[in-house]
Amino acid sequence: MDLLFLFEWLDQSALATLSKANGGVFAVVQMFHLLAMAMLGGMVLVGDLRLLGVVLRDLPSELVLQNTQRWFNRALVVMVLSGVFMSSAVAMKLYYNSMFWAKMGALLVGVVFVYAVRRPLLNFSHDTLDPRLLKLVAISSILVWFTVAACGRWIGFS
């Protein structure tokens, strides 16, 4: 499915006009985007490093993951909303950028992994799960989200 029409619409939208005309607004939204990325990445690392037994070993992993998931959800919402706003300023450029599509694909994989694999699997008591499975989930999660971050960073260079 070709999404060119969506990017053309976004490029002509009121969001694009606001983001292109007012650098201060863009900078504030970009700040929230970066803060949300830091929070999301931090929650992924804290939760996954707990599953690996590296940090917060004195706390039950279920408790750590429950708390990090709550903040992960909030960060994801802020990141997506601010990302759409920032994308409106350069929508057509992004449409033709292969690293943008790599990031969007990796982001989709990450979101599906969190909500369809990691969260349902880890809703069970972690004591009943194979420790190797917990480690596999944690390493997979870190790799997926590192890929999202690396692709996002590479957009500026391509």
Side-chain angles (χ1 to χ4, degrees), residues 88-99:
S88 70
V90 290
M92 296 311 298
K93 184 177 177 181
L94 289 177
Y95 178 78
Y96 294 104
N97 187 317
S98 60
M99 287 314 298

Side-chain angles (χ1 to χ4, degrees), residues 59-70:
L59 295 173
S61 56
E62 295 90 349
L63 178 65
V64 173
L65 289 177
Q66 179 184 19
N67 287 314
T68 58
Q69 184 66 45
R70 183 179 313 125

Side-chain angles (χ1 to χ4, degrees), residues 128-151:
T128 64
L129 298 172
D130 185 345
R132 293 175 297 185
L133 178 63
L134 294 175
K135 289 180 182 0
L136 178 64
V137 168
I139 291 168
S140 299
S141 175
I142 290 170
L143 288 173
V144 166
W145 289 106
F146 176 80
T147 303
V148 174
C151 289

Side-chain angles (χ1 to χ4, degrees), residues 16 26 32 37 40 45 55 59 69-70 77 85 105 121 131 142 149:
F26 187 89
F32 279 105
M37 285 191 315
L40 186 138
L45 281 176
V55 298
L59 295 173
Q69 184 66 45
R70 183 179 313 125
V77 168
F85 179 83
L121 179 68
I142 290 170

